[in-house]
Amino acid sequence: MNKLKILSKSIWVFHFASAACNNCDIEILDVLTPRFDVERFGVKLVGSIKHADAMLVSGMMNRKGAEFLKDLYDQAPKPLAVIAFGSCASSMGMFKVSYNRVIPVDEIIPVTAYIPGCPPRPEAIIDGVVKVVKKLRGEI
Amino acid sequence: MVNKVKDILKGKIIKWEEKSSKRHYIEIDKKDLRSAAELLFRKLELRFCIATGLDNVKNMEVLYHFSDDKTGVVYSLRVFTDRDKGQIPSIADIIKGATWIEREMRELLGIEFTGAADTSRLLLDPTWPEGVYPLRKDYEYGRKEPRGEDSCRRPNIKIEELTKNGKKTKIIPIGPYHPLQEEPEFFELMVQGEKVIDLNINLGYNHRGIEKIAEGKHWDQVTFLVERICGICSCSHPYAYVNAVEDLLGLEIPLRAKYVRTVIAELERVHSHLLWLGLAGHFLGYNTVWMWAWKYRETVLDLCEQISGNRNHYAMMRIGGVRKDIFNSEIDAMKEKTASLVPIFDLFKGAVIDDPVIHARTKNIGVLSKEEAINYCVTGPTARPSGLDQDIRKIDILNGAYQLVEWDVIVCQNGDIFDKTVCRVLEMYESVKIITQCLDKLKGLKEGNIWEEVREIPPGEGIGRYEAPRGEVWHYVRSDGGNTPVRHKIRAPSYMNVLSNELAAVGGDVSDAAITLAAVDPCYCCTERMQAVENGNVKYNWEELLRLSEEKTKRLRGELR
Ligand code: SF4
């Protein structure tokens, strides 16, 4: 049986923001509030990585934060879907020349899905969630 | 005032440069710096804005900027020192608000500040190699340093039982990572029982080196870069930056562009204040307020999208004007939408002013007195509730429509969280007033003509300011006539405001800490351009703190019945 399939109902999400510009983080909260309301699909932000099925990573990895990301990933119960959220997390965006950068998220931990955009629109986020669910079910 | 300054600094001035009636650069010797700073700050009561460090290759230069908040004139003290082992006397004991910037200049530029109490690192991690200064000119663009094992080590936390005044003290870490804080930030509260006795703020978890990146981007590209300093102030930073460049050029932009700039900037203020109000409600245990506020915030975002094409990063500003015009045919519908916000503010105003529980939770909590507000150099909605009448929009924005429309600055007197909330709610009304008037005026103007062509940026320096939702944003640029800025200094309002938490939170209850820390509406992305709580005597985490806060609300609600 595809183990990942169990995750595809009511995904609980842990949000990790490392040196983001705040916009990605706000759009994440935004999809939880009444207009977009992803809670109707059972998606919920949780306070501990131990409760999470998925981890959203936003922002560029900087020297003070990168190690935390690795630690958190190690602490999480597997399987865990990791979503690189926004241009910064996907490719480091315009911060790829910063002296305080480390390496892109996908070189630190395995990434399941990328949601591009700066910041991604709420519709794009919901589309991303749907794609992650499909992937977990083994449909794509 | 100019004469007063000339008078008081008599004998110290080496060179007085008047760039324009609002910008004065005063060169002095570094041995006179302390006395000059004290005179300007204490005697003339000028507000210390920030210091800018520059690497001129042949020597180091530091500019101390002081602002006269009545007239909007900026006086900058200029001092020089050697490049290698350069030393400048510290002024942090005279002006509290200079503490962080001195630490920052020390680690990024390698200037020593003699007599500074705290010389530890502020932004860089502990494994950053000694003697490597990223903002110096010989540090190549795009270079990167090897990273040691424990670059995430927390700088100065000791999780062990401390004893202070014979009582047991514990440390409560808040952060750096928690989903309730949207950004990484890290506070250590030292508590005795329920009382907070000390607070330690750690920065650097959000540092991205934007000032260095700007040095490698074209003047026009920098507007997009500074937009990405912070998602909520994504109009204020570009606004201040273009103001700085236009100050350098001495340029005045077309009238229509002024109105468009003002509309988008004020829309941003409304959505930012709504966002804060929602979060404040959440911290106090009123989750309904959170959902409401964010629901109505969407209306504002829709308007922004209609004007700029994007919900958040608007990309509206360009040097010499704005990038996109507002269509006259759409203005009526926009006005209607803006007007629909007023009943919502009424609702929030009623909720804040009438609710006895909110009174009990916020009155006389986290008080920042007027003297302390001056000493810590706070700005914006952290300063105005403490009785300081300062608003950059009134005094120092040439290329905006603030002088052409009618509106008031909101000033409260008590400096507690209640006043901070009231101040923000009332400010939203003012913003709507401004937006409506601007839209009216736009309708009477012909479309088009929204920018002035700018071909070259001549050598020189410029200072631009803007009143962001959280306070004064400060940009300083210097050009050598090339395609990119030689130095671009950015100071966000939270940089000054967050430090004042040291004061506001200390002495309060643990259950009030969540709202007190949130009351300055901190924005760490701006400030720095920070879960793993380890074992030991960690008592509460942020969640727990929030629970405590919510319980207190519940208890009070019960008692008040
Ligand atoms: S992707 Fe864009 S919006 Fe998201 S954190 Fe990066 S700069 Fe900000």
Side-chain angles (χ1 to χ4, degrees):
Chain A
M1 197 190 108
N2 182 359
K3 245 200 187 162
L4 285 169
K5 210 170 163 180
I6 337 169
L7 288 187
S8 68
K9 303 248 168 70
S10 314
I11 308 180
W12 283 15
V13 184
F14 179 83
H15 169 207
F16 179 90
S18 167
C21 84
N22 218 341
N23 227 338
C24 277
D25 319 330
I26 293 208
E27 291 294 73
I28 290 172
L29 287 183
D30 215 62
V31 292
L32 293 171
T33 51
R35 179 175 298 178
F36 299 102
D37 199 10
V38 285
E39 283 188 6
R40 65 202 149 124
F41 306 124
V43 178
K44 198 180 144 195
L45 273 189
V46 290
S48 162
I49 186 73
K50 304 239 164 90
H51 302 157
D53 305 316
M55 173 153 76
L56 280 174
V57 186
S58 66
M60 145 223 155
M61 287 303 124
N62 79 354
R63 293 170 60 104
K64 264 190 177 174
E67 219 56 35
F68 283 126
L69 177 69
K70 182 118 201 9
D71 280 0
L72 276 172
Y73 183 76
D74 291 343
Q75 284 171 17
K78 309 288 176 322
L80 176 81
V82 179
I83 301 159
F85 192 92
S87 312
C88 283
S90 307
S91 65
M92 294 173 98
M94 57 173 38
F95 301 108
K96 67 174 192 294
V97 286
S98 161
Y99 54 79
N100 212 27
R101 71 190 187 272
V102 194
I103 42 175
V105 176
D106 50 6
E107 287 175 29
I108 304 176
I109 55 172
V111 171
T112 323
Y114 300 87
I115 302 183
C118 182
R121 294 183 58 84
E123 291 85 349
I125 303 171
I126 298 173
D127 185 46
V129 173
V130 172
K131 286 213 173 112
V132 170
V133 170
K134 278 198 183 143
K135 177 155 186 195
L136 293 176
R137 289 206 185 124
E139 288 170 14
I140 43 173
Chain B
M1 196 55 144
V2 179
N3 292 336
K4 265 199 205 159
V5 175
K6 275 192 179 151
D7 240 23
I8 214 165
L9 293 181
K10 213 191 240 149
K12 299 197 175 85
I13 304 169
I14 298 177
K15 197 163 128 206
W16 183 290
E17 239 179 292
E18 182 172 339
K19 255 223 75 203
S20 64
S21 60
K22 290 206 165 179
R23 302 283 185 266
H24 299 268
Y25 297 88
I26 310 156
E27 192 185 323
I28 57 169
D29 194 276
K30 67 181 182 188
K31 70 175 191 312
D32 292 331
L33 175 69
R34 278 179 63 87
S35 57
E38 184 154 16
L39 286 172
L40 292 188
F41 188 68
R42 293 263 173 250
K43 269 264 170 59
L44 297 182
E45 299 188 339
L46 300 181
R47 182 169 55 85
F48 172 70
C49 296
I50 196 65
T52 308
L54 292 111
D55 176 13
N56 291 338
V57 184
K58 58 179 193 295
N59 57 9
M60 287 287 181
E61 178 179 340
V62 181
L63 289 162
Y64 291 85
H65 308 286
F66 291 85
S67 156
D68 178 1
D69 283 336
K70 290 192 188 71
T71 54
V73 182
V74 177
Y75 303 92
S76 308
L77 296 178
R78 195 196 297 275
V79 292
F80 291 99
T81 182
D82 299 335
R83 188 152 190 269
D84 294 318
K85 308 217 170 62
Q87 287 187 336
I88 286 179
S90 161
I91 58 164
D93 54 330
I94 305 171
I95 305 168
K96 195 73 189 147
T99 320
W100 279 2
I101 184 66
E102 285 186 353
R103 281 168 70 186
E104 190 186 309
M105 283 196 277
R106 185 181 166 274
E107 66 182 341
L108 299 182
L109 282 160
I111 304 172
E112 281 303 325
F113 288 89
T114 44
D118 189 352
T119 56
S120 57
R121 281 186 176 166
L122 179 71
L123 297 171
L124 298 175
D125 61 287
T127 63
W128 182 273
E130 279 295 331
V132 177
Y133 304 111
L135 277 188
R136 286 199 175 187
K137 288 282 170 260
D138 52 7
Y139 192 91
E140 299 88 1
Y141 187 69
R143 177 172 145 192
K144 166 175 160 183
E145 297 305 313
R147 189 168 55 99
E149 279 274 287
D150 51 355
S151 68
C152 301
R153 172 162 45 93
R154 280 184 283 182
N156 35 20
I157 191 171
K158 279 179 231 77
I159 308 183
E160 52 200 38
E161 293 202 10
L162 314 154
T163 339
K164 257 194 187 170
N165 315 336
K167 281 197 201 143
K168 264 192 195 159
T169 310
K170 308 225 176 192
I171 292 180
I172 304 175
I174 305 182
Y177 296 102
H178 195 281
L180 285 174
Q181 306 164 287
E182 307 122 29
E183 305 157 83
E185 58 213 39
F186 187 23
F187 297 107
E188 291 160 299
L189 296 180
M190 271 181 228
V191 295
Q192 282 181 347
E194 281 275 295
K195 284 270 173 270
V196 179
I197 57 159
D198 206 353
L199 174 74
N200 191 7
I201 305 166
N202 292 317
L203 295 180
Y205 295 89
N206 218 332
H207 183 59
R208 283 164 292 170
I210 288 184
E211 291 176 11
K212 183 78 182 179
I213 301 177
E215 289 173 15
K217 297 250 180 271
H218 186 269
W219 290 99
D220 214 26
Q221 288 175 315
V222 177
T223 47
F224 302 107
L225 175 71
V226 293
E227 199 158 73
R228 275 147 187 85
I229 291 171
C230 167
I232 322 177
C233 322
S234 62
C235 190
S236 309
H237 279 287
Y239 204 149
Y241 165 70
V242 293
N243 272 343
V245 181
E246 283 155 11
D247 175 46
L248 191 159
L249 293 164
L251 181 81
E252 189 165 346
I253 63 168
L255 188 62
R256 192 170 175 90
K258 287 187 184 176
Y259 285 120
V260 177
R261 275 188 185 180
T262 311
V263 168
I264 190 89
E266 286 307 308
L267 281 172
E268 179 184 270
R269 185 179 323 276
V270 176
H271 95 65
S272 171
H273 281 356
L274 276 175
L275 183 144
W276 179 82
L277 208 63
L279 287 178
H282 174 56
F283 291 141
L284 285 174
Y286 285 96
N287 277 331
T288 329
V289 173
W290 180 32
M291 290 294 166
W292 267 353
W294 283 59
K295 180 177 160 198
Y296 295 124
R297 190 176 153 258
E298 291 293 326
T299 320
V300 188
L301 293 183
D302 283 348
L303 278 168
C304 294
E305 191 173 350
Q306 194 175 357
I307 295 172
S308 71
N310 204 357
R311 288 160 55 87
N312 302 77
H313 287 317
Y314 315 113
M316 287 294 278
M317 300 294 165
R318 64 174 281 165
I319 297 164
V322 288
R323 262 171 234 279
K324 291 185 209 84
D325 203 352
I326 294 179
F327 295 113
N328 277 353
S329 55
E330 290 179 4
I331 285 180
D332 284 329
M334 282 182 192
K335 267 176 65 186
E336 224 168 88
K337 248 192 185 160
T338 320
S340 76
L341 290 169
V342 174
I344 296 154
F345 301 157
D346 289 342
L347 187 123
F348 283 116
K349 195 169 89 180
V352 173
I353 292 182
D354 298 340
D355 192 316
V357 181
I358 291 194
H359 276 226
R361 281 306 311 274
T362 57
K363 278 224 155 149
N364 296 325
I365 306 286
V367 182
L368 187 70
S369 69
K370 192 169 175 180
E371 292 72 51
E372 292 301 345
I374 293 172
N375 200 11
Y376 277 77
C377 310
V378 295
T379 67
T382 309
R384 290 194 288 271
S386 299
L388 295 180
D389 181 4
Q390 45 138 304
D391 195 317
I392 307 301
R393 289 176 290 170
K394 275 275 187 229
I395 50 172
D396 194 18
I397 297 175
L398 171 68
N399 288 327
Y402 294 105
Q403 268 60 319
L404 309 172
V405 294
E406 264 168 48
W407 61 284
D408 297 317
V409 179
I410 309 290
V411 182
C412 306
Q413 296 306 328
N414 299 326
D416 54 5
I417 298 172
F418 184 75
D419 275 12
K420 284 178 184 153
T421 315
V422 171
C423 179
R424 288 198 173 93
V425 174
L426 296 181
E427 259 177 32
M428 292 198 288
Y429 285 98
E430 295 303 316
S431 293
V432 167
K433 239 161 79 185
I434 298 174
I435 296 167
T436 324
Q437 293 177 52
C438 284
L439 287 174
D440 277 339
K441 300 247 167 112
L442 273 175
K443 242 178 123 184
L445 291 172
K446 232 167 68 77
E447 280 175 31
N449 190 21
I450 48 166
W451 76 67
E452 213 47 76
E453 189 75 45
V454 175
R455 290 233 167 257
E456 258 170 39
I457 315 281
E461 54 196 338
I463 292 168
R465 304 194 276 171
Y466 180 69
E467 182 79 21
R470 286 157 189 75
E472 176 202 43
V473 202
W474 174 282
H475 282 237
Y476 168 92
V477 290
R478 177 173 291 186
S479 161
D480 60 356
N483 281 337
T484 60
V486 194
R487 177 81 171 98
H488 185 182
K489 169 75 199 161
I490 303 159
R491 207 276 341 259
S494 300
Y495 197 87
M496 305 314 254
N497 293 347
V498 170
L499 193 59
S500 75
N501 271 337
E502 265 181 20
L503 217 83
V506 171
D509 281 355
V510 174
S511 46
D512 291 328
I515 182 70
T516 311
L517 296 183
V520 301
D521 196 0
C523 181
Y524 294 88
C525 308
C526 291
T527 309
E528 302 172 27
R529 315 126 272 155
M530 326 181 198
Q531 143 133 24
V533 172
E534 282 154 20
N535 333 325
N537 295 315
V538 177
K539 253 169 80 182
Y540 313 106
N541 55 25
W542 186 250
E543 230 174 14
E544 194 102 340
L545 219 58
L546 196 72
R547 193 182 50 75
L548 272 177
S549 176
E550 281 172 3
E551 268 173 14
K552 186 164 178 186
T553 301
K554 253 193 220 144
R555 201 178 65 229
L556 279 167
R557 204 183 278 161
E559 281 168 14
L560 283 163
R561 271 205 199 105

